Amino acid sequence: MAFNDFGKIFRITTFGQSHGVAIGVVIDGCPSGLPITKEEIDRELAFRAPGNNPYVSPRKEKDEVEILSGIFEGQTTGTPIALLIRNMDADSSKYESTKDLYRPGHANFTYLQKYGIFDYRGGGRASARETVARVAAGAVAKKLLSHYGIMLCSFTAELGGIAIEQPPFSCLTELKAKVLKSELFCPDEKIEAKWKEKINEAKADGDSLGAILQAVVTGLPVGLGDPVYSKLEANLASAMLSIPATKGFEIGAGFLAAKMKGSEHNDAFGTDEFGNARPVTNFAGGTLGGISTGLPLTFRVAFKPTSSIQKVQKTVTVHGEGKEFSLPPGSRHDPCVAIRANAIIEAMSALVLADALLLNRCAKL
Amino acid sequence: MAFNDFGKIFRITTFGQSHGVAIGVVIDGCPSGLPITKEEIDRELAFRAPGNNPYVSPRKEKDEVEILSGIFEGQTTGTPIALLIRNMDADSSKYESTKDLYRPGHANFTYLQKYGIFDYRGGGRASARETVARVAAGAVAKKLLSHYGIMLCSFTAELGGIAIEQPPFSCLTELKAKVLKSELFCPDEKIEAKWKEKINEAKADGDSLGAILQAVVTGLPVGLGDPVYSKLEANLASAMLSIPATKGFEIGAGFLAAKMKGSEHNDAFGTDEFGNARPVTNFAGGTLGGISTGLPLTFRVAFKPTSSIQKVQKTVTVHGEGKEFSLPPGSRHDPCVAIRANAIIEAMSALVLADALLLNRCAKL
Amino acid sequence: MAFNDFGKIFRITTFGQSHGVAIGVVIDGCPSGLPITKEEIDRELAFRAPGNNPYVSPRKEKDEVEILSGIFEGQTTGTPIALLIRNMDADSSKYESTKDLYRPGHANFTYLQKYGIFDYRGGGRASARETVARVAAGAVAKKLLSHYGIMLCSFTAELGGIAIEQPPFSCLTELKAKVLKSELFCPDEKIEAKWKEKINEAKADGDSLGAILQAVVTGLPVGLGDPVYSKLEANLASAMLSIPATKGFEIGAGFLAAKMKGSEHNDAFGTDEFGNARPVTNFAGGTLGGISTGLPLTFRVAFKPTSSIQKVQKTVTVHGEGKEFSLPPGSRHDPCVAIRANAIIEAMSALVLADALLLNRCAKL
Amino acid sequence: MAFNDFGKIFRITTFGQSHGVAIGVVIDGCPSGLPITKEEIDRELAFRAPGNNPYVSPRKEKDEVEILSGIFEGQTTGTPIALLIRNMDADSSKYESTKDLYRPGHANFTYLQKYGIFDYRGGGRASARETVARVAAGAVAKKLLSHYGIMLCSFTAELGGIAIEQPPFSCLTELKAKVLKSELFCPDEKIEAKWKEKINEAKADGDSLGAILQAVVTGLPVGLGDPVYSKLEANLASAMLSIPATKGFEIGAGFLAAKMKGSEHNDAFGTDEFGNARPVTNFAGGTLGGISTGLPLTFRVAFKPTSSIQKVQKTVTVHGEGKEFSLPPGSRHDPCVAIRANAIIEAMSALVLADALLLNRCAKL
């Protein structure tokens, strides 16, 4: 596991397992002079944390960051920013009994085969708990982006097979407010109601659901992204597929583009209100040749249903013995992991974009 | 454009523009002792080259590699392998007239904004011509993989909205033979016939088509992939989205997983013929927690329709002047760029896997 | 300050300032299965810590590590190892009065110019306090090396212009024991006595001394090092010159080689006791072409005298005003920073070698 | 040999062996808009090439660059710049007879042990011939630096044990002119005469000489260098020790600093002619805390004597058989490899500084 870092200049290195002492991140390469507070980071952690509604895990991850280094008198100093989040609500005992079972949909199988050892408590490093470090780092990246007028919003776009209509992106503050008001981060109240039914059904059945999240970024200048292997969409795809439970990524028209004709998909060029050349439609989703066009960046991420379910599943032990396995009723798992992943998607997107923003300073003489 | 390299240990750096002197690649980190010949590389270049059938570009890219370094007496020496492919059939004159036009769906807009200068001839570095270097490097990576019994096959899975049935992956040599026999790299003859009709219609109309390609890799050991940011699927997603014209990536059930329940999507564990624990189904697509499970790796890539079409499109010049633009009839463009991208997908996959294979040697004490 | 990481596969990222909350390190890429305890790390921290003798700083840096992640049931798991050392004995108040002065020989001048902000307390990130993280990481690297029979020893070779004779390297355990018995890490008791006089004189005078340290590594296999830009000596040179107060690096005969003839400097080849080809002398210092020869690796590092002195020095303020500056008598500074740097040299060498050892696994098919 | 690249943003990847088809380099990350011509690169290659005087090798390396990509209409485009130098005067036949001998001071021993295969002709990748690629890349880096008023000069400072006096650095154009006029790149005519005698003696004796080179860089802004592991001197040390035949690196007072007192070595601060704070002396050699101070950067590099000599040396074959070995009289080797390395030192320094210059754009908000 040699590559627990992400980014080139604005680069994070994360550490920590689900039931270890702490989860943390070192942000290396953040420019000096950025004002950032513990409160701003905690706010993002809260966005990610399980809420107190019936649609997410009842675990209490009241996460709070400790700033260990890199910030002095309220500003970044250019030195590495280390952020620590202690693990609190971790009850490891219940993992003892299943530690020799390969759990369907889980990574203990591959970790054990690869490393010969696995911290089985709560999923170890393979647990989505790991993403709290990403969200903490993302808070700093978001602050940097906001300094340059760049804003991000991720929301749930499809759940249990029911999709929302594409919301308008003209005012992202408005969209973001709507999304944050929803327990499922859904900008459409009617659809949200249907999703809640779906979730209630799945929960009652001891089952789980998948979903698709969508992200929008506005305020990007033209020019972010470094072809050919660091195309903006390549870096975003890598970022998204590194999030636990993700199964797909698409930008702009995405997989639908495969069904379109060139004359339908090509975005014509025109001029914007300031006379700048810009594409007039946005099937491309905000990039051309891997470089941002100045139009909103839009992409979608597919999440598989939560692997931890209460239904009986077939499996084997590490000794090859066949077993049946099911989580006991009352297990504290999200019925749909995607919901809380909106915070992670925003964080990872912010990391990709902060890095691209800095790298772009080196493009011209 | 600081990141024209790909990979960590088995790492390539590519260079060259569409109408420049040459396209090339330096492969750094290939282990010593691998037998490889010019012919083996040329064979992969031929797989990528436009054929002499009506469904691809009539350009003559009779590509031939020159091995500049790194191979001695038929074997890799551990030193960097430099491969050069001279550009031949490049007629630059016809790009003169449109060099000040932002071409819909093309990258000259973003390149000019980012770099202030653009080699407009044939799309410059943003041209898919660049991928010939990836295919040359991929030939070496494939040879390395084949040494360890790993085999790859990419094929066209959907074109113009018509999809094939999932072919069997039990014998990849057979599938690969079928695919190579098809002018559209389609393993299903009946569907291929329908696609040809679609292509003929689009061509007659001066239009273009999108498609979805699918790749399968067999023979992978358990354990490839480095969580958490170098998950196998994250690296593959990055590799795929770095290919020109790609709009989406999905692994295993992919976007469909978002519509499934946990009880449907989770792959139960059993034992294989040798008594090894293995997932018994493969909705995951060959990884768990970003690490290969030993089952076939399967993923799909969405391609937009070719941007170069003969229909009239609206655009502006670099001076902001509105224009209409269309390619003259007889322009040498692929009606569906995805078809020839099968070679590129195999090459990029091989690069990701060769790298993961070497890195995995460092996982345990 | 984008590059607070060191190494390619066995890679560390460090963080923390002199008077911040904590100093720490994340080790990424350590193979799984390595047994390592808090005590083993603390022992190395003690080796670096100011002792209770008159020749080093009277500061109390009773450093103790907290293992935050990556170790489970006494073994590394392959996941990132995070180590934290809290800052204890830090009295920041006395730095208030001089925070606007550019201190001769210190980095607050360059940091302020580069970043526009500087955590002036105790030298901030530029303080040698930062190296405690390197020593903690080095403890893990040393454990890995010892698993493969590789041993390191750094000692003081010249101080205040007086040099020791080259000690024998045939039994490194013996040399190491001798070195650790000495308050100045000097393997020669008579010379040590002279050095102590020199230090006492300098201290009485409010002045400081420079020194040269030497390191020896035995048990290295042939083949470590990756030409051409990751030659073993290139990586060691980079590692050494990254240590605060270092001014030079030489391997083998070093600068003396420039005065020799080829017939004197060339190491003839013979065979060792096992019949293996080996150089019979070692002017080269253990490498050829950047790759280890299997002979002891020997190199030397020059340290400038401690910059913090009690003599009056000329300087200017951040506002350009001329000032005189001297540390008050009783300031807690090492009269010769090099002495305690022996621990740092061993740590950085171990990091370079652990990385080279892993990378070498990828050299051949 | 996974790391044939150097630099972070302004990054080179080189390839090629002594007697292969060609030597080359890909420069990735050079900003767009830099004017550069083939002639400017060829001029640097000539500076490195063996001259027609009796003090260097009589080989004819009339090196000429072919620009393969990255430059359009006389300017860099931001895309990778590939430069190729064909190998011409390579007579491989004479290496046949000694291919099974471990040659004292040469790397065929370590390469064969590490890789199991070695292109023995002319030293393969371990030959100094490889550095022609660095010099070609350095020409581009120098051009970038000159755009910002930064100038470099490397000269021979000691040869065969005889040292020059430190020349003045106030006008680097003058110094550079003097150096280029000298066949030994020596700024002092009287010392040059003595060196020539030494070289003639060594040649007559079939022996070789070592030397020390010194480099000076002027016009650097304050702020280049990225602590803590990418300190300017750490990157320079790594660059220098990656050059074949180098044995040591020192910056500023270097190893002499180890003999000095703090009160002697500390550079007091004052103000320059523009009222800017600056150190008034330069024992530090142009950096503090790894970051440039704005004063001239000065460092020295030790070179061992040429390993190829005509005297009889003891060695063994790859089969462990004892042999005597000597080059035949008339062999085309430099009596002192250091002389021609002045071009390489300037090139590698330029690469380090170009990279630091770009990275520094990301330091502040």
Side-chain angles (χ1 to χ4, degrees), chain D residues 135-165:
Chain D
V135 172
V140 180
K142 276 183 173 183
K143 191 69 195 292
L144 180 66
L145 294 175
S146 77
H147 182 83
Y148 294 100
I150 299 166
M151 203 180 154
L152 306 93
C153 180
S154 172
F155 53 88
T156 314
E158 182 184 313
L159 192 151
I162 303 167
I164 61 164
E165 299 269 306

Side-chain angles (χ1 to χ4, degrees), chain C residues 284-365:
Chain C
T287 69
L288 274 174
I291 301 171
S292 63
T293 59
L295 259 55
L297 189 68
T298 65
F299 57 88
R300 289 154 48 94
V301 184
F303 282 80
K304 69 175 185 181
T306 313
S307 297
S308 298
I309 56 175
Q310 289 164 30
K311 296 202 138 184
V312 174
Q313 300 172 85
K314 292 226 157 104
T315 190
V316 294
T317 67
V318 296
H319 313 296
E321 208 184 330
K323 286 273 177 184
E324 296 216 319
F325 170 72
S326 66
L327 286 174
S331 291
R332 308 178 306 167
H333 293 281
D334 287 273
C336 173
V337 281
I339 296 168
R340 288 169 53 205
N342 280 292
I344 308 165
I345 284 198
E346 285 192 14
M348 291 306 294
S349 306
L351 291 168
V352 168
L353 293 168
D355 200 27
L357 198 71
L358 293 178
L359 284 169
N360 196 37
R361 294 184 181 179
C362 302
K364 283 184 200 161
L365 196 61

